[in-house]
Amino acid sequence: MAYFQQLLLNVNKKPLGFSGSQFRDMVDMKISNAYLPNDHVQYQHCAGSAPQYRGYPCALWLLFHTLTVSQYQVGSQQINVTEVPLAIKNYIKYFFGCKQCSDNFMKETINISQLDSQNKHQAIIYLWKVHNNVNKRLQGQISEDPKHPKVQFPNRYLCTTCKSINNSQNNDDYDISKTIDFLLDYYSRKNIDISLISNKSRRVEELSSEQERLVSTAEYKAVKLQRVAYKNENLQHVEYR
């Protein structure tokens, strides 16, 4: 939250408004342990064959699917099946940088409020179908990574029993029960590798501790020098009396 708190402070310092370039400068600020990702982020699962492919949009889809699965796996007996999909929709509507993509997503999810509240798998299946529809629409477009073509997910390599018809581009040709089992496993917590995050966090903590130690040492030396200077000054006063 440190980043957004600082950003809000900077915005509040300009009550008369600011230009787009000024806001960009505020957004691009770098403060300790808090920053927004930039073009130099190294993606793991979502790495594309070239910088313009996959990356952030792929990571968003991965996050969204994980959220729907997590809600089901950690939720109580009664869960609001529209809560996560609506949060996703509003994020894309108000914060996703591609206006055309956002508009298309709004059209894809126009019936989001009609999810079956009695079916706890509804949000998982709904988002999976939306994602496959998007992949079908974008297949062969300029945004498609030639090394990672947009196909219906999961393919037979990932789930041998999910599809009832080979090479089908239709969501209706999936065995929903087996697909749900696959999605629950694929996007489950056990498949989230946080080792890189843990290692980075540990390194940040080590650097912070080292910085604190150096600051403490510097402060100690400064106080010591101040005391020595004060002592010398008093001695000089005694000598010149």
Side-chain angles (χ1 to χ4, degrees):
M1 290 300 293
Y3 172 87
F4 292 103
Q5 289 172 346
Q6 186 60 49
L7 180 60
L8 181 60
L9 286 174
N10 292 343
V11 169
N12 290 336
K13 289 178 182 177
K14 297 183 178 294
L16 299 180
F18 39 81
S19 66
S21 60
Q22 288 175 323
F23 183 67
R24 167 58 63 184
D25 291 338
M26 286 189 278
V27 169
D28 286 341
M29 68 178 171
K30 300 292 186 293
I31 60 177
S32 177
N33 301 337
Y35 60 92
L36 286 182
N38 52 40
D39 295 337
H40 303 293
V41 170
Q42 294 183 345
Y43 291 95
Q44 302 297 318
H45 178 82
C46 286
S49 61
Q52 69 269 28
Y53 297 130
R54 306 186 80 208
Y56 181 64
C58 167
L60 271 186
W61 278 116
L62 187 62
L63 172 62
F64 293 162
H65 288 296
T66 303
L67 287 174
T68 59
V69 168
S70 295
Q71 184 194 35
Y72 169 81
Q73 291 180 334
V74 304
S76 59
Q77 292 296 321
Q78 297 294 327
I79 63 174
N80 183 353
V81 296
T82 63
E83 182 180 14
V84 171
L86 281 174
I88 291 171
K89 182 173 183 176
N90 285 328
Y91 177 84
I92 295 298
K93 180 178 181 179
Y94 295 109
F95 297 104
F96 196 64
C98 172
K99 182 65 167 59
Q100 183 180 1
C101 306
S102 177
D103 290 342
N104 286 331
F105 193 82
M106 295 305 105
K107 295 175 184 176
E108 294 276 2
T109 56
I110 194 170
N111 62 342
I112 199 170
S113 60
Q114 300 174 10
L115 298 183
D116 182 4
S117 60
Q118 302 302 314
N119 184 351
K120 294 196 296 182
H121 297 123
Q122 188 73 56
I124 299 171
I125 291 299
Y126 182 81
L127 188 66
W128 164 71
K129 287 184 176 181
V130 168
H131 195 175
N132 269 348
N133 288 337
V134 171
N135 278 350
K136 185 177 180 180
R137 175 166 49 81
L138 295 179
Q139 192 174 36
Q141 299 296 316
I142 192 172
S143 61
E144 183 181 43
D145 188 336
K147 297 293 181 65
H148 301 275
K150 294 187 179 298
V151 297
Q152 297 299 279
F153 181 87
N155 57 31
R156 190 165 287 276
Y157 173 77
L158 289 173
C159 181
T160 58
T161 60
C162 288
K163 251 185 178 180
S164 56
I165 301 178
N166 286 334
N167 302 320
S168 172
Q169 296 294 308
N170 194 333
N171 283 330
D172 295 334
D173 295 326
Y174 279 87
D175 184 311
I176 296 300
S177 177
K178 292 177 181 177
T179 301
I180 289 174
D181 290 339
F182 168 81
L183 295 173
L184 288 173
D185 179 72
Y186 189 82
Y187 293 109
S188 66
R189 183 177 180 180
K190 70 177 184 179
N191 287 330
I192 300 176
D193 181 8
I194 61 172
S195 60
L196 292 175
I197 300 174
S198 300
N199 292 337
K200 185 175 181 180
S201 298
R202 192 179 304 113
R203 180 58 181 157
V204 168
E205 290 177 0
E206 291 173 355
L207 288 174
S208 297
S209 299
E210 179 65 11
Q211 288 174 347
E212 290 176 1
R213 186 188 68 78
L214 291 174
V215 169
S216 298
T217 302
E219 289 178 346
Y220 171 76
K221 289 181 178 179
V223 171
K224 188 174 181 180
L225 287 173
Q226 187 177 18
R227 288 176 177 174
V228 170
Y230 178 75
K231 184 177 181 180
N232 289 339
E233 183 180 358
N234 286 340
L235 287 174
Q236 289 176 0
H237 282 308
V238 171
E239 290 175 359
Y240 288 106
R241 276 181 187 172

